[in-house]
Amino acid sequence: LSPVCLGSLRRAASINAEYMGDRNALRLMLQERALEVVKRRFLLMREEQSVHRGYQMDLVPLEVWNDFLSAKEHLGQELMKLQILCDKMQVNYKDLINQSAMRYHTMKNSGASKKKKVPTAWPLV
């Protein structure tokens, strides 16, 4: 191969490596974004019943109720954006959400087990 061909091949390899690095970085960012969406989703699911019941009983102010509804709406929009990004990056949306949910549960369970291991002070008498 001539020096010109070798130089072109090196540039092409460099561009390909840069592209793959960028693609991997984008994939990691997509995974982190999905994890945040899953965290928010579980938080809203956990609080939904108590907020709804409190609103029906006039214990929750209208502003709090509106914020809660807005958060649910924004979560739906974020899920749609995530699905569009998955389509563009050729990533399976359901797999991404399932993996993020598994990561969330693993993180949550590992945090809970660490909290249980904290020794308590027992009275000596």
Side-chain angles (χ1 to χ4, degrees):
L1 290 171
S2 71
V4 174
C5 289
L6 285 175
S8 296
L9 286 174
R10 286 186 187 127
R11 278 194 301 279
S14 173
I15 290 170
N16 189 30
E18 185 177 322
Y19 170 75
M20 291 307 291
D22 289 347
R23 186 156 175 81
N24 288 337
L26 288 173
R27 190 174 298 254
L28 286 174
M29 287 191 296
L30 185 65
Q31 290 172 350
E32 291 303 314
R33 187 172 185 171
L35 180 62
E36 289 301 316
V37 167
V38 166
K39 285 180 184 179
R40 286 187 8 217
R41 180 175 170 213
F42 279 111
L43 175 67
L44 288 174
M45 285 172 45
R46 187 174 60 232
E47 299 296 328
E48 183 170 17
Q49 186 177 9
S50 61
V51 171
H52 187 71
R53 187 174 295 150
Y55 177 72
Q56 287 178 332
M57 297 171 53
D58 284 334
L59 298 173
V60 173
L62 184 61
E63 183 179 345
V64 173
W65 176 250
N66 289 335
D67 286 347
F68 184 76
L69 293 178
S70 177
K72 284 177 59 175
E73 183 180 333
H74 286 120
L75 179 64
Q77 292 172 355
E78 186 67 23
L79 285 167
M80 288 188 333
K81 290 175 187 176
L82 200 59
Q83 191 166 12
I84 291 168
L85 288 171
C86 284
D87 290 342
K88 287 184 179 183
M89 293 185 63
Q90 299 173 349
V91 173
N92 188 323
Y93 174 75
K94 288 183 181 180
D95 288 345
L96 180 69
I97 294 296
N98 288 337
Q99 290 169 359
S100 297
M102 287 174 43
R103 274 182 64 198
Y104 171 76
H105 287 301
T106 302
M107 290 169 41
K108 185 177 174 186
N109 291 338
S110 68
S113 65
K114 288 179 184 176
K115 289 179 185 175
K116 289 179 185 176
K117 292 180 183 179
V118 175
T120 57
W122 292 93
L124 298 175
V125 179

